[in-house]
Amino acid sequence: MKIAIGADHGGYSLKEVIVPYLLSLGHEVEDVGCSCDQSVDYPDYALPVCDLVTSGKAERGILICGTGIGMSIAANKVRGIRCALVHDLFSAQATRDHNDTNVLAIGERVVGPGVAQEIVRIWLETPFSGGERHVGRLNKVKKIEDQYAGQTT
Ligand code: RB5
């Protein structure tokens, strides 16, 4: 799978663990930065990852900041992105199964690298169930997105 990944300074160290892990699993990785632990702004890294996903240049995206919260807020502003902030293995599986999430957010200051790797592996391996009720709910989410498209205030 082609995976886009980005982090701010709060997620930089975990990104440096996750990138080689993804490569070891046989995935292709596009790393949009950041490239050191100097302070940067998470939206500047969320957007390029989401653009790669919505354009189809990457199948999935992974975003890491200190808590994962800023990244998930920013990512979910992008049309077509369904981003889940995940810090446990059950949610990693459930959000693919139920929500068909295409971006995963993780907080480096919340989980250790071992748990983060497992979250990433499970999230990548779990297919969307395609269940009728889940599709119906996602269509309702898309309707909300369509309703507010182009709104500037
Ligand atoms: C940076 O200090 C921190 O605010 C950021 O990484 C993230 O946790 C924001 O949600």
Side-chain angles (χ1 to χ4, degrees):
M1 216 184 273
K2 173 98 179 259
I3 297 157
I5 189 166
D8 72 355
H9 55 290
Y12 169 70
S13 301
L14 182 57
K15 176 169 71 62
E16 295 307 291
V17 171
I18 297 299
V19 168
Y21 179 63
L22 291 169
L23 295 172
S24 80
L25 294 176
H27 297 292
E28 205 184 320
V29 177
E30 178 139 2
D31 183 350
V32 306
C34 62
S35 51
C36 69
D37 61 7
Q38 268 189 0
S39 184
V40 292
D41 299 332
Y42 56 80
D44 297 338
Y45 297 89
L47 187 57
V49 165
C50 292
D51 281 344
L52 285 164
V53 173
T54 55
S55 67
K57 290 179 186 150
E59 285 162 76
R60 303 271 191 88
I62 297 175
L63 292 169
I64 309 170
C65 62
T67 58
I69 296 170
M71 285 294 199
S72 62
I73 291 171
N76 279 313
K77 300 293 180 196
V78 179
R79 198 172 164 79
I81 293 298
R82 292 176 303 281
C83 174
L85 171 58
V86 174
H87 290 130
D88 67 277
L89 305 185
F90 173 78
S91 301
Q93 186 269 333
T95 192
R96 285 290 309 137
D97 192 2
H98 291 206
N99 314 123
D100 194 19
T101 41
N102 50 12
V103 173
L104 172 70
I106 309 178
E108 177 188 310
R109 298 172 187 160
V110 183
V111 286
V115 173
Q117 284 178 324
E118 271 301 279
I119 287 169
V120 165
R121 186 185 63 74
I122 290 168
W123 184 75
L124 289 172
E125 284 178 0
T126 305
F128 175 48
S129 68
E132 202 180 320
R133 69 185 194 283
H134 299 310
V135 171
R137 289 162 190 160
L138 289 176
N139 284 339
K140 289 189 178 189
V141 172
K142 193 175 175 311
K143 246 176 121 175
I144 297 172
E145 199 175 58
D146 292 345
Q147 194 176 335
Y148 291 95
Q151 186 175 293
T152 52
T153 53

